[in-house]
Amino acid sequence: MAEPAGSAVVYGRIVASRLRGQLAYRTSFALDLTAQAIGQTIELFVIVVVFTQVSTLGGFTAGEVLLIFGLAACGFGLADLCVGQVERLPEYIRTGEFDVMLLRPLGTLPQLLSADVALKRVGRLGVGLAVYGWSLARLDLAWTPLRALVAVTAPLVGAVVLGALWVAANVVSFWVVDGREVANAVTYGSSFTTSYPISVYGPWLRRLMCYAVPGAFVAYFPALALLDRPDPLGLPVALRYCAPLVAVVAVLAAGALWRQGVRHYQGTGS
Amino acid sequence: MLAPYPQLIRAGYRRYAGYRQAALAGLFTNLVFGLLRAAVLAAVLAERGTVAGYDLATATTYVWLGQGLLAVVLLWGNTEFSDRVRSGDIVVDLGRPWDLQTAQLATDLGRAGAAVGIRLLPPIAVGALFFPFRWPAWPLTWLVFALSVLLGVVVSFAIRFLLSCTAFWLLDARGTMALWGASSGVLTGLVVPLSWFPAWAQAVLWWTPFPAVLQSPIDAFTERGDPLGLLAHQLVWAAVLLLVGRAMLFRGIRRLVVQGG
C-alpha cells in the first residue's frame, strides 16, 4: 500500500498521544505495569516450582529451560508491545470504528496497531530480558560469532514470528463475531507453548502448536543453537538457524490473510 | 412483594446461557490450555512417577477440573461494575430496592449455574474420555464437591467485588484487576497444584482466601485432605470477604461524586 511520506510522522503523533493518555491515570498505570511484570514472573515461578520437584524437564535442565523461557518471554513481550493491539479488532469491528479506518488514507493494519499502544506491556518485556540476560551470562556458552548473532537476533525474530501469528489469528474476527477468544487460544497458547522445550508436548500437539503454528522457532530452536547441545527429538541441526526464514514466510502469510480479511469485511450493518 | 434475588439468579443464568457463541469460544481456549497444561504436568510426572501425591490420573483430573472451574468461579472478572462506578451509573443501582452486594451475588450465582453446564462439564468430559481420569471413590464426595464449588464461586465473587470497589478511590479499577488477573492463576492453584509449592509457600497460601477459589474444589473432587476443614476454610473466607466488601462499598459510596444533572 503506497502511503504518504509523512505517514511515519502521523503514526508517531498517534502513538505519542496514546502514551500520554495512559500515563494520565498514574496509579492505575503503575498497577497495570506491575501486573504485567508479575504475570511474566509468575510463569517463571511455575518453572521454578516444577524444578523443585524434578531435575530435568523434557530432557532439559533448569538453566536450559530458563533460557528457552527467557527467549520466549522477550519475543512475546516485544510482539505484545508492537502488535498486541490487534486483539482489539473485534471491538473496532463491532463499534464501526474499523469503517472509519478504511476511510483514512493510511493502511488499516498500521492504524490498528498504533491506535492503542499499551505501554504497560513493557513490564512483561522487562522480566523477559532479565531472565534471558541472566541465562546467557550463567550458562557458560561457547561463544562464536554465529552464536552471538543468534543471541542478539533471536528475540527480535521471535517477536516477528509471534506478531505475524497474532495478526493471522485475529483475522478470524473478520468472519466470526467476537473471535477474540479463539484468537487468544492461538496467541496466548503460543506464548505458553514457546516457554517450554517442545519435547514436553505429545507428537500431534507438537505438530500443531510448534510446527504448523511455528512456535518452535521462537525459542526452542534458537536456544538449541545457543546451547550447542543435542536435540532430544533428533531434528536436523539446520532447523536451529531457520527462524529468520520462518519469520519472513510468517509475515508474508499474515499480510496476505489480513488483506483477504479486509476484502471480506462487510461492516456490522445497521 | 417477592424478594428480587431468586429472579436475579434466574436472570444471571439466562443472560450467560444466552451468549452461546461467546461461551463456546471461551471453552475452546480453556480446552487448548488444558491440553498444554496437561502436557507439561505429564512431562514432569514422566521424570518422577508421583509428585506430592499427584499421579498422572490425579494431575490430568486437576488440569481439566481447573480449566472448567475457572469459568464457573469466573476467576478473571469484567469491569462492568467498576465502569458503573466511574461513569456514575452506580447511583441508579444504589437507588433500586435491593441490597447491591446481594443482588450482584445472586446474579453471579445464576451465571455460575449456567457455566457449570457450558464450561465445566465439557472439559471434564474431555479429561475423562481422552486422559487418565480420577473419579471420586466415595459418593459423598460429590456433595462436598458441589458445596465447595458453590463456596468457590462466592469467594471468587467477593474478591472481584472488592477489586471493583477500588474504583471508588482509583476511578479506574483496571490496574487492581490486572494485578489479580496476573497473580490469581498461581495463588488459587490453577497453574500448578499448591501442594507442589515449597512448604513455606503452601503454609502462607492456606492462610489466604485464594486456595478457596479453585484448589479447594479440585481437592474436594480428588479427595485430598479433610473435606470438612476444606469447606470450613472456604466458608470463613466467604463470610469475611463479603463483610469487608460491604464495608468498602459503604465507605466508597460516601466519597462518591456524580457529576451532571
Side-chain angles (χ1 to χ4, degrees):
Chain A
M1 200 169 296
E3 289 188 359
S7 62
V9 181
V10 175
Y11 290 130
R13 281 196 193 139
I14 292 173
V15 170
S17 78
R18 298 301 169 195
L19 299 187
R20 274 200 304 280
Q22 287 163 42
L23 293 171
Y25 291 97
R26 265 173 205 286
T27 313
S28 213
F29 176 76
L31 288 173
D32 255 341
L33 188 74
T34 317
Q36 292 280 324
I38 289 180
Q40 197 66 48
T41 311
I42 268 171
E43 285 173 39
L44 175 68
F45 180 76
V46 171
I47 293 179
V48 172
V49 166
V50 161
F51 275 102
T52 62
Q53 305 289 348
V54 291
S55 54
T56 58
L57 186 66
F60 289 80
T61 65
E64 294 169 334
V65 172
L66 285 180
L67 177 70
I68 295 177
F69 171 84
L71 256 178
C74 289
F76 181 88
L78 274 173
D80 197 26
L81 188 62
C82 303
V83 187
Q85 306 78 270
V86 73
E87 71 175 15
R88 299 191 58 186
L89 178 62
E91 271 169 63
Y92 284 88
I93 291 178
R94 200 186 53 214
T95 56
E97 187 88 2
F98 193 76
D99 296 10
V100 180
M101 291 186 171
L102 283 170
L103 290 174
R104 296 197 189 117
L106 296 167
T108 48
L109 188 55
Q111 279 189 72
L112 182 66
L113 298 188
S114 60
D116 199 10
V117 177
L119 195 59
K120 62 181 182 182
R121 290 168 177 155
V122 171
R124 209 168 253 281
L125 180 61
V127 175
L129 283 172
V131 176
Y132 184 47
W134 182 81
S135 300
L136 284 181
R138 194 173 158 275
L139 273 168
D140 197 23
L141 304 169
W143 289 104
T144 62
L146 180 61
R147 256 179 229 137
L149 186 68
V150 171
V152 174
T153 55
L156 303 170
V157 172
V160 173
V161 172
L162 285 174
L165 189 64
W166 291 4
V167 170
N170 279 281
V171 167
V172 72
S173 294
F174 285 115
W175 280 273
V176 181
V177 181
D178 211 357
R180 182 169 174 167
E181 281 272 11
V182 179
N184 275 354
V186 177
T187 55
Y188 292 96
S190 64
S191 140
F192 185 103
T193 329
T194 51
S195 305
Y196 290 88
I198 65 171
S199 46
V200 308
Y201 307 108
W204 62 267
L205 200 57
R206 195 158 54 225
R207 260 169 235 143
L208 186 71
M209 294 299 286
C210 305
Y211 309 139
V213 171
F217 295 90
V218 174
Y220 183 73
F221 286 130
L224 285 183
L226 290 172
L227 292 166
D228 191 28
R229 54 155 285 167
D231 184 345
L233 297 168
L235 296 163
V237 174
L239 279 177
R240 299 176 183 189
Y241 302 96
C242 277
L245 209 65
V246 172
V248 171
V249 174
V251 167
L252 291 177
L257 272 171
W258 179 266
R259 279 190 293 277
Q260 198 66 36
V262 173
R263 212 168 301 143
H264 179 270
Y265 174 69
Q266 293 178 323
T268 41
S270 75
Chain B
M1 195 185 84
L2 269 173
Y5 308 115
Q7 282 151 42
L8 282 170
I9 294 181
R10 221 170 306 145
Y13 182 95
R14 284 215 206 99
R15 178 172 152 191
Y16 189 80
Y19 290 99
R20 186 132 310 172
Q21 201 186 11
L24 286 178
L27 176 63
F28 175 74
T29 308
N30 295 157
L31 292 178
V32 169
F33 270 86
L35 291 174
L36 297 175
R37 290 207 169 113
V40 170
L41 292 198
V44 173
L45 292 170
E47 308 279 338
R48 237 183 88 179
T50 57
V51 174
Y54 276 77
D55 56 7
L56 187 59
T58 312
T60 46
T61 307
Y62 154 87
V63 166
W64 291 110
L65 277 177
Q67 289 307 105
L69 283 173
L70 77 91
V72 174
V73 302
L74 191 64
L75 191 55
W76 305 303
N78 53 44
T79 54
E80 196 178 314
F81 178 43
S82 58
D83 283 346
R84 288 179 78 79
V85 171
R86 185 166 56 162
S87 67
D89 290 340
I90 186 79
V91 288
V92 181
D93 304 334
L94 290 167
R96 289 196 171 123
W98 63 21
D99 176 80
L100 181 60
Q101 193 192 30
T102 317
Q104 288 207 1
L105 176 59
T107 315
D108 202 52
L109 288 175
R111 176 204 58 74
V116 166
I118 310 173
R119 301 287 291 271
L120 176 60
L121 296 183
I124 290 183
V126 169
L129 286 174
F130 302 107
F131 289 82
F133 200 77
R134 188 191 185 287
W135 291 104
W138 309 102
L140 209 58
T141 296
W142 288 100
L143 179 66
V144 177
F145 177 61
L147 285 173
S148 186
V149 171
L150 178 68
L151 286 170
V153 175
V154 176
V155 172
S156 170
F157 164 80
I159 291 172
R160 283 181 273 120
F161 188 83
L162 279 175
L163 295 176
S164 297
C165 279
T166 59
F168 283 112
W169 286 266
L170 301 175
L171 286 183
D172 183 1
R174 270 186 308 180
T176 43
M177 286 187 171
L179 272 181
W180 172 242
S183 54
S184 55
V186 157
L187 298 177
T188 61
L190 172 72
V191 289
V192 186
L194 292 189
S195 53
W196 291 22
F197 284 22
W200 62 266
Q202 289 183 51
V204 171
L205 275 176
W206 280 103
W207 279 102
T208 70
F210 307 126
V213 177
L214 281 174
Q215 187 70 56
S216 295
I218 296 173
D219 281 354
F221 191 92
T222 52
E223 295 164 331
R224 295 171 60 87
D226 163 37
L228 284 181
L230 193 141
L231 291 176
H233 172 262
Q234 287 185 295
L235 195 61
V236 167
W237 274 116
V240 168
L241 290 174
L242 285 177
L243 285 174
V244 174
R246 289 189 88 72
M248 223 173 138
L249 174 67
F250 289 122
R251 287 196 70 124
I253 289 169
R254 255 189 276 152
R255 29 173 306 135
L256 182 68
V257 178
V258 178
Q259 299 175 11

